[in-house]
Amino acid sequence: MTTRLSIPAAALVAAIVGFGGTLALIIAAADTLGASREQTASWVTAVCLALAVETAYLSWRTRMPVVTAWSTPGLALLAAAGGFTMNDAVGAFIMVALLLIVTGTIRPLSRLVGRIPGSLSSGMLAGILVSFAIGAVKAAGSDPLLVLPLAALFFVVRLFNPALSVLSVLVAGVVLAWALGRVDAFPEPELSTLVFTEPSFSLAGFFGLALPIYLVTMASQNLAGIAVLRAAGYEPPSGLLVWFTGAVSLLSAPFNAVTTNLAAISAAICTGPDAHPDPAERWKTGPYYALWYLIFALFGASLVALFDALPPQLIILVAGLGLLAPLANALTMALGIAGLRTAAVVAFAVTASGVTIAGIGSAFWGLMAGLIVAALDTAGKHFLKQ
């Protein structure tokens, strides 16, 4: 039986968009955590292997185009967090994976997470993401000759193909950086290896990293991924999808891999009629998507070495531009409900401040502050009605 060319093509586009568009975030997060180049390369390799296993198995098992990705909001949170090491991050990845397994197994827990007002979690997420947009603007001031043409390219390309706009900036940025003499030499190709990192567990790591990563992963990734599948006419077994991605994340975490979850943007590419006119055939994009990520896994070390050779302003720019759409969406959702706007703005402001209290980062305190203000507003309205 033949396979339509559109199936592997859609899988390739989805893989490139998901990988190339946010790889800079992994580099930024690894730098913040003080990871070695070997640990960063292992991070990329392990997470690509996890995505290949998850997508291939879940697509085959459910006969749906189930596509997984790494947690982009989680990466943004890691890159914005301070005072944590790679050991702390690995411990947080393990805790997040366990929470996902429990969530997928115990249905009331997923319903409890779903009851957290989307405005507040979106305000927290926007507070995490805004620093990257500001960083991209600052990068323009430090190296305008490199940054400004690439920023212009991004806004032009997104008029015609938003999905490929960040990737276009990355490719053009490598060429421009080399032409301007910002790159001394490109690294030699090398195969990837996995590096084990001993996890470190602490209350500060749980509340400052694990819990916020879990919440933004569930709210911004898993729930959105399930919604994409349902919008395409499928009825995904949400419990299976969540606990299986958690289980694979648990296995990949000791090798520095960030939590993996259901994809949204990449999934939209694989679930539409462009992949295949027959919805029953679209699940075949999953195995091809997995194949592309196996290839990425082989060359993860080379890709990390390449990014290491590029000017930091380019990495900051690519990360900032890649998060503009998620930032705009988070701000829109945060301000969407009039009665929760003040609480959402509080969650945004506290998170964006970067404040650390008792060793716990601002993302947790931003969500807590938003919940408290929302509770006070609700109680006040109820009291005034009496």
Side-chain angles (χ1 to χ4, degrees):
M1 187 173 67
T2 59
T3 299
R4 287 174 62 103
L5 182 61
S6 60
I7 289 180
L12 176 60
V13 172
I16 289 176
V17 168
F19 185 84
T22 54
L23 181 59
L25 265 181
I26 289 184
I27 308 301
D31 287 344
T32 299
L33 296 167
S36 66
R37 205 171 97 179
E38 291 75 19
Q39 286 176 314
T40 307
S42 176
W43 184 334
V44 174
T45 301
V47 80
C48 287
L49 291 174
L51 298 183
V53 171
E54 291 166 351
T55 302
Y57 174 75
L58 290 174
S59 295
W60 170 79
R61 170 76 182 274
T62 64
R63 289 300 193 269
M64 302 176 194
V66 179
V67 175
T68 61
W70 50 61
S71 176
T72 301
L75 288 174
L77 191 149
L78 287 166
F84 292 102
T85 65
M86 195 66 228
N87 304 81
D88 297 323
V90 170
F93 299 159
I94 291 174
M95 288 187 280
V96 174
L98 292 173
L99 286 171
L100 290 175
I101 292 171
V102 173
T103 301
T105 306
I106 304 175
R107 191 175 296 272
L109 182 57
S110 61
R111 286 200 293 264
L112 179 63
V113 173
R115 291 185 64 182
I116 296 176
S119 296
L120 303 188
S121 58
S122 295
M124 177 187 70
L125 179 58
I128 295 168
L129 301 180
V130 70
S131 62
F132 293 92
I134 294 173
V137 175
K138 290 181 177 179
S142 61
D143 194 346
L145 197 60
L146 173 67
V147 171
L148 291 179
L150 296 174
L153 174 66
F154 170 81
F155 288 107
V156 171
V157 173
R158 69 184 290 271
L159 295 175
F160 305 97
N161 195 329
L164 295 179
S165 56
V166 177
L167 187 62
S168 300
V169 170
L170 178 58
V171 174
V174 172
V175 175
L176 183 58
W178 175 78
L180 294 174
R182 304 286 198 274
V183 181
D184 295 330
F186 289 111
E188 293 292 327
E190 56 181 311
L191 292 178
S192 300
T193 56
L194 294 175
V195 175
F196 176 83
T197 297
E198 184 177 350
S200 175
F201 302 99
S202 65
L203 282 177
F206 177 76
F207 287 105
L209 290 180
L211 187 58
I213 291 175
Y214 165 74
L215 290 174
V216 296
T217 297
M218 281 298 301
S220 301
Q221 298 275 177
N222 282 336
L223 296 181
I226 291 170
V228 168
L229 285 168
R230 286 176 176 163
Y234 300 99
E235 288 298 329
S238 55
L240 168 65
L241 305 187
V242 172
W243 83 254
F244 187 78
T245 53
V248 176
S249 294
L250 183 62
L251 296 175
S252 62
F255 302 102
N256 309 292
V258 72
T259 305
T260 48
N261 42 246
L262 299 178
I265 297 175
S266 301
I269 297 172
C270 295
T271 56
D274 288 344
H276 198 288
D278 183 0
E281 294 292 316
R282 294 173 197 164
W283 72 270
K284 295 176 182 177
T285 57
Y288 282 102
Y289 182 90
L291 176 62
W292 296 124
Y293 267 98
L294 285 176
I295 295 173
F296 293 156
L298 285 175
F299 297 101
S302 295
L303 292 168
V304 170
L306 172 62
F307 271 73
D308 196 44
L310 296 175
Q313 291 86 353
L314 176 58
I315 307 302
I316 293 170
L317 175 68
V318 172
L321 293 177
L323 292 173
L324 276 182
L327 173 59
N329 184 60
L331 288 171
T332 300
M333 293 183 65
L335 303 177
I337 301 177
L340 290 173
R341 282 176 186 164
T342 300
V345 169
V346 168
F348 168 79
V350 174
T351 303
S353 73
V355 65
T356 299
I357 303 174
I360 299 172
S362 62
F364 173 79
W365 297 118
L367 182 60
M368 290 300 102
L371 288 171
I372 291 171
V373 172
L376 288 173
D377 285 348
T378 301
K381 293 175 182 176
H382 180 75
F383 177 77
L384 290 175
K385 288 181 179 179
Q386 299 297 319

